[in-house]
Amino acid sequence: MKIAFLTDPLDQFKTYKDSTFAMMREAAQRGYALYAFGPEDMALESGVVVANIRLITLTGDADDWYRAEAPKAMRLSEFDAVLQRKDPPFDMEYIYATYLLELAEQQGARVFNKPAAIRNHNEKLSIAQFSQFTTPTLVTRDEQRIRAFHQTHQEIILKPLDGMGGAGIFRIRADGMNLGSVIETLTENGRRTIMVQRYIPEIVHGDKRILLIGGKVVPFALARIPQNGEVRGNLAAGGVGVAQELTVRDLEIAQTLAPILYQRGLLLVGLDVIGNYLTEVNVTSPTCFQEITQQKGFNVAGMFIDALEAAVSDK
């Protein structure tokens, strides 16, 4: 099998924790050929989606971890699978990439996650489709609505709709200190829509990442526990990851969403759950493979490549 990874620059990978690297390593162990390219490498030429793509070989060295051949212009339809692993921000360039990938699908490419499904599932807003699992939530750019929500719920979280890694998340307490400034900053004085949620105190026990692969639930979550007074548990924001078994509520949420999201073309999904509440549905480049594997011995990357093999054979 030939697998092309659409990803961030390989030189930026931290191989000791990168989930895309874990996928590559598992695929290489199965004898598959690995290729890599970035969004900037794609083009539509004479109606055909092509990209300047490099064949890569893993070295086994944690630092100098790959060798790459010179890039070659190739059709995306030449590969058995194209894995979309580009991190947010989900800006217009990201959307343009999904358009090109969708055209490539029409020309025979097999893209995972499906580009239309990625585009249709904003990682914050998608929770509204499963409101039975969410904390009280407001999506707006209107300052008065946000202030009224704060009056009702007292402690709230405000965050942008297009960020990642905990960037731009603010907690406002009952006294409302700095609420006006945060609203102005995040909404850019009413020009940008944001999400506001009732604060979930259980964040002190971790923001749990639950992985869904091929419509099935990985049996362990990674609880990302905030440190040093932070409200954010994201690993990128300094949180400490602790792998743990799923709770009854975790399973209820995950088993409800897994088949639905898989049918929509999402091979890999990362749910974020705080306490008993679903807070995000991550579809762009979900992570935490290596932390779960290292702590619990469960081969998440193996489960993913198994699901990829099954999905490719079904097409």
Side-chain angles (χ1 to χ4, degrees), residues 31-107:
Y32 297 149
L34 308 180
Y35 297 79
F37 66 106
E40 69 281 3
D41 295 315
M42 286 196 294
L44 179 66
E45 292 183 347
S46 302
V48 177
V49 179
V50 297
N52 293 327
I53 301 178
R54 298 184 293 170
L55 175 66
I56 65 170
T57 305
L58 306 188
T59 65
D61 186 305
D63 297 315
D64 185 21
W65 64 274
Y66 73 94
R67 295 286 181 267
E69 295 188 2
K72 178 182 177 183
M74 303 177 71
R75 297 187 180 200
L76 296 189
S77 57
E78 294 181 45
F79 298 93
D80 296 288
V82 177
L83 298 185
Q84 186 353 61
R85 292 292 300 170
K86 176 72 176 67
D87 284 342
F90 198 82
D91 53 15
M92 285 307 301
E93 284 299 324
Y94 209 117
I95 291 173
Y96 297 150
T98 67
Y99 290 146
L100 289 175
L101 291 171
E102 199 168 9
L103 286 169
E105 282 186 316
Q106 296 171 16
Q107 297 163 6

Side-chain angles (χ1 to χ4, degrees), residues 57-271:
T57 305
L58 306 188
T59 65
D61 186 305
D63 297 315
D64 185 21
W65 64 274
Y66 73 94
R67 295 286 181 267
E69 295 188 2
K72 178 182 177 183
M74 303 177 71
R75 297 187 180 200
L76 296 189
S77 57
E78 294 181 45
F79 298 93
D80 296 288
V82 177
L83 298 185
Q84 186 353 61
R85 292 292 300 170
K86 176 72 176 67
D87 284 342
F90 198 82
D91 53 15
M92 285 307 301
E93 284 299 324
Y94 209 117
I95 291 173
Y96 297 150
T98 67
Y99 290 146
L100 289 175
L101 291 171
E102 199 168 9
L103 286 169
E105 282 186 316
Q106 296 171 16
Q107 297 163 6
R110 304 166 185 179
V111 184
F112 306 93
N113 287 326
K114 285 185 71 66
I118 291 175
R119 202 169 56 241
N120 291 340
H121 289 81
N122 177 275
E123 298 188 324
K124 309 294 191 298
L125 275 172
S126 290
I127 64 170
Q129 300 177 42
F130 309 100
S131 58
Q132 70 269 36
F133 299 128
T134 64
T135 190
T137 298
L138 171 70
V139 177
T140 186
R141 66 171 78 175
D142 182 80
E143 179 175 354
Q144 295 310 310
R145 283 192 170 93
I146 298 172
R147 289 188 177 277
F149 188 89
H150 175 255
Q151 282 292 110
T152 299
H153 298 289
Q154 298 295 292
E155 287 202 61
I156 62 174
I157 294 290
L158 302 92
K159 53 188 174 182
L161 293 176
D162 60 354
M164 66 164 288
I169 294 179
F170 292 88
R171 174 186 178 184
I172 298 295
R173 299 177 186 271
D175 60 12
M177 183 175 294
N178 292 326
L179 177 58
S181 178
V182 170
I183 293 172
E184 291 170 7
T185 300
L186 288 183
T187 70
E188 295 181 5
N189 293 305
R191 291 190 295 273
R192 290 177 64 86
T193 301
I194 66 170
M195 177 172 281
V196 190
Q197 294 178 303
R198 184 179 67 187
Y199 174 70
I200 305 170
E202 289 83 359
I203 183 61
V204 298
H205 303 301
D207 180 354
K208 292 174 285 188
R209 167 58 56 83
I210 302 172
L211 294 169
L212 312 180
I213 297 176
K216 299 178 181 179
V217 182
V218 173
F220 301 98
L222 189 76
R224 298 159 298 172
I225 301 172
Q227 302 294 302
N228 303 318
E230 265 284 359
V231 70
R232 303 170 298 173
N234 309 73
L235 300 182
V240 172
V242 178
Q244 58 189 37
E245 293 185 3
L246 303 184
T247 67
V248 172
R249 176 66 166 180
D250 294 340
L251 277 170
E252 179 188 5
I253 295 171
Q255 290 175 346
T256 299
L257 271 62
I260 296 172
L261 296 175
Y262 181 59
Q263 287 299 315
R264 294 178 182 177
L266 297 166
L267 182 71
L268 172 61
V269 177
L271 305 180

